[in-house]
Amino acid sequence: MKKESTHHERLDDFDIYGFQHDLITWFEREQRDLPWRKDQDPYKVWVSEIMLQQTKVDTVIPYFNSFIEQFPNIQSLAEAEEDRVLKAWEGLGYYSRARNLQSAVREVHESYAGIVPNTPKEISTLKGVGPYTTGAILSIAYGVPEPAVDGNVMRVLSRILLIRDDIAKPKTRKVFEEVIRDLISKENPSFFNQGLMELGAMVCTPTSPSCLLCPVREHCRAFAEGVQRELPVKTKKKSTKQVALVAGIFKDKDGRFLIHRRPSEGLLANLWEFPNFVKVDELGTAKQQLLQLMKTEYGLNVALGEYVCDIKHVFSHLVWDVNVYVGSWDGELLEGSDLVPVTEEEMKEFAFPVSHQNMWKEYLKTVE
DNA sequence: AATACGGGGGA
DNA sequence: TCCCCAGTATT
């Protein structure tokens, strides 16, 4: 007859309370002083968690401070222009996070009287709030014992509990969630979850973990077996596609430059950019194609000048190789044209992807 | 289950 | 180079 157990089988012979205590007291003692840890305002916890998705703490800090200064609460973000929100997110990447956050904040403003909901069901229906962020907000802002499984947590627990499931597989996250439901401190789920992540960031790092400094070393099965460097198991993804582009920085006699808003869906949605096109080898030189496409796409006659630079920009799933030219334009923009003429000063108000910021920097060097 | 979606930094 | 990062939405 199977032995009856109140815990997940992977926790057999595991000192749950000792582990909770050692982790939480270490976090109380050693946690970093971070701007989103000054209070537990659910809105600020929420903003920080969205910004921290796939993004390092050091990168997020200045963005978080500036964002909270501009949008200090639910109402201010709900009522803001989307372009201002994108500008505040400029350079941080994964821009749908910003648009989803504002959309969800508007829903909380309108449907929840401005109070961030505190149940898994309600909170996980908000745009941009998935399983990880649901658990993070609930535990950190409201003290609800929900798992918050991110990359850190999977790495740390794969070592502690010797879990060899491939963390690249979607279903593996559920394995960790089920274990954590039995492992999490019901008294202090906030510090338990944050402690796991802090440990992953500071001690139990991907390569060469600092096991000799680890507060939960005596609980770690991988350390006991000497296999901590073999975990977690993670299959690697495939490489990126190459895309060749040609772009133009076009100025008129009054010093106005042509920019263009990207489509509302897909890569870099709703951000601004200099006119550019996918280059096709069979259709002549980059310069010829730029000239031709400005005419057919925008009905605009341009004169092309010097080659500015070649910008290489790496995304997670593709690589842009952009040939950049200067040029000039004259006359009228077509009715309904997507092109907007702006001065150098006005350009500062628009959110550009980093690749196009770099094109602009290179252009400024050539006119010095 | 696989893919799209940014950008920076470390080894 | 390759990998990782306080992941989510879409297909």
Side-chain angles (χ1 to χ4, degrees):
Chain A
M1 182 173 166
K2 184 178 181 302
K3 192 187 81 168
E4 193 170 320
S5 172
T6 54
H7 297 300
H8 195 287
E9 58 200 14
R10 296 189 194 254
L11 293 174
D12 289 350
D13 301 318
F14 189 80
D15 177 11
I16 294 176
Y17 296 111
F19 175 76
Q20 291 175 350
H21 175 268
D22 292 342
L23 178 66
I24 289 171
T25 55
W26 172 80
F27 182 73
E28 289 171 334
R29 205 167 59 240
E30 302 287 346
Q31 65 171 289
R32 289 168 290 179
D33 186 15
L34 299 174
W36 46 89
R37 287 180 177 162
K38 289 183 191 154
D39 60 54
Q40 293 147 250
D41 175 2
Y43 167 70
K44 283 187 256 181
V45 171
W46 184 5
V47 170
S48 72
E49 291 302 339
I50 300 297
M51 286 188 169
L52 286 161
Q53 289 169 7
Q54 297 292 288
T55 311
K56 292 253 195 353
V57 163
D58 289 341
T59 304
V60 167
I61 290 173
Y63 282 92
F64 177 83
N65 287 330
S66 156
F67 194 93
I68 292 299
E69 200 171 306
Q70 296 176 71
F71 314 109
N73 49 45
I74 295 273
Q75 182 174 348
S76 57
L77 182 55
E79 293 174 350
E81 293 279 339
E82 184 188 291
D83 278 345
R84 282 194 57 222
V85 180
L86 279 179
K87 183 66 188 176
W89 213 271
E90 182 185 44
L92 194 55
Y94 285 152
Y95 299 94
S96 66
R97 291 184 295 177
R99 296 185 301 126
N100 287 338
L101 173 61
Q102 189 185 27
S103 166
V105 158
R106 283 175 170 164
E107 183 177 350
V108 169
H109 185 55
E110 289 158 19
S111 305
Y112 295 95
I115 309 296
V116 179
N118 65 351
T119 65
K121 178 173 268 186
E122 291 173 309
I123 207 166
S124 62
T125 62
L126 298 170
K127 279 202 184 91
V129 178
Y132 163 74
T133 307
T134 298
I137 296 174
L138 283 170
S139 60
I140 297 171
Y142 292 118
V144 178
E146 279 288 313
V149 177
D150 69 343
N152 281 314
V153 170
M154 287 196 282
R155 180 175 62 257
V156 170
L157 285 186
S158 72
R159 288 170 177 164
I160 304 253
L161 298 174
L162 215 57
I163 293 174
R164 298 180 185 278
D165 300 44
D166 180 0
I167 67 168
K169 303 276 189 223
K171 67 176 190 181
T172 301
R173 194 199 73 241
K174 300 189 203 311
V175 173
F176 288 94
E177 284 174 348
E178 288 315 304
V179 175
I180 290 172
R181 289 194 184 282
D182 291 332
L183 187 57
I184 192 169
S185 163
K186 309 298 186 295
E187 288 71 41
N188 196 344
S190 169
F191 279 20
F192 180 91
N193 280 342
Q194 292 188 77
L196 279 182
M197 294 188 275
E198 191 86 347
L199 194 64
M202 306 301 293
V203 176
C204 196
T205 50
T207 57
S208 60
S210 307
C211 298
L212 297 183
L213 301 174
C214 182
V216 292
R217 181 182 64 229
E218 67 178 77
H219 303 279
C220 186
R221 291 173 178 167
F223 180 78
E225 310 262 324
V227 296
Q228 63 271 22
R229 302 177 81 102
E230 299 166 24
L231 292 165
V233 174
K234 184 177 187 180
T235 55
K236 51 177 180 290
K237 58 185 190 318
K238 37 191 236 209
S239 63
T240 54
K241 287 181 301 190
Q242 307 282 323
V243 179
L245 297 173
V246 53
I249 296 179
F250 299 107
K251 187 181 185 180
D252 73 356
K253 59 184 190 306
D254 299 322
R256 298 184 307 170
F257 297 86
L258 293 176
I259 63 172
H260 164 259
R261 188 200 278 281
R262 292 180 62 85
S264 60
E265 292 185 337
L267 185 64
L268 304 166
N270 283 356
L271 271 69
W272 294 80
E273 64 182 6
F274 299 107
N276 65 90
F277 307 96
V278 174
K279 191 168 66 175
V280 181
D281 283 339
E282 291 72 34
L283 298 182
T285 67
K287 220 168 166 176
Q288 290 169 341
Q289 291 183 45
L290 184 55
L291 194 66
Q292 179 68 39
L293 284 160
M294 288 303 288
K295 181 65 181 174
T296 57
E297 292 296 313
Y298 299 117
L300 193 66
N301 290 311
V302 299
L304 278 171
E306 292 299 303
Y307 166 80
V308 176
C309 64
D310 184 27
I311 295 277
K312 201 174 176 76
H313 192 81
V314 180
F315 298 87
S316 39
H317 59 304
L318 55 87
V319 179
W320 275 358
D321 190 354
V322 195
N323 287 118
V324 186
Y325 291 86
V326 291
S328 58
W329 61 287
D330 199 0
E332 303 296 308
L333 291 174
L334 236 49
E335 193 70 24
S337 166
D338 289 336
L339 296 173
V340 177
V342 294
T343 65
E344 183 172 343
E345 197 58 27
E346 290 167 337
M347 211 173 313
K348 296 185 174 66
E349 303 301 315
F350 295 84
F352 287 84
V354 167
S355 49
H356 285 253
Q357 294 177 40
N358 289 337
M359 291 178 210
W360 179 247
K361 282 182 197 163
E362 292 300 321
Y363 165 76
L364 289 178
K365 283 186 195 169
T366 68
V367 296
E368 270 173 2

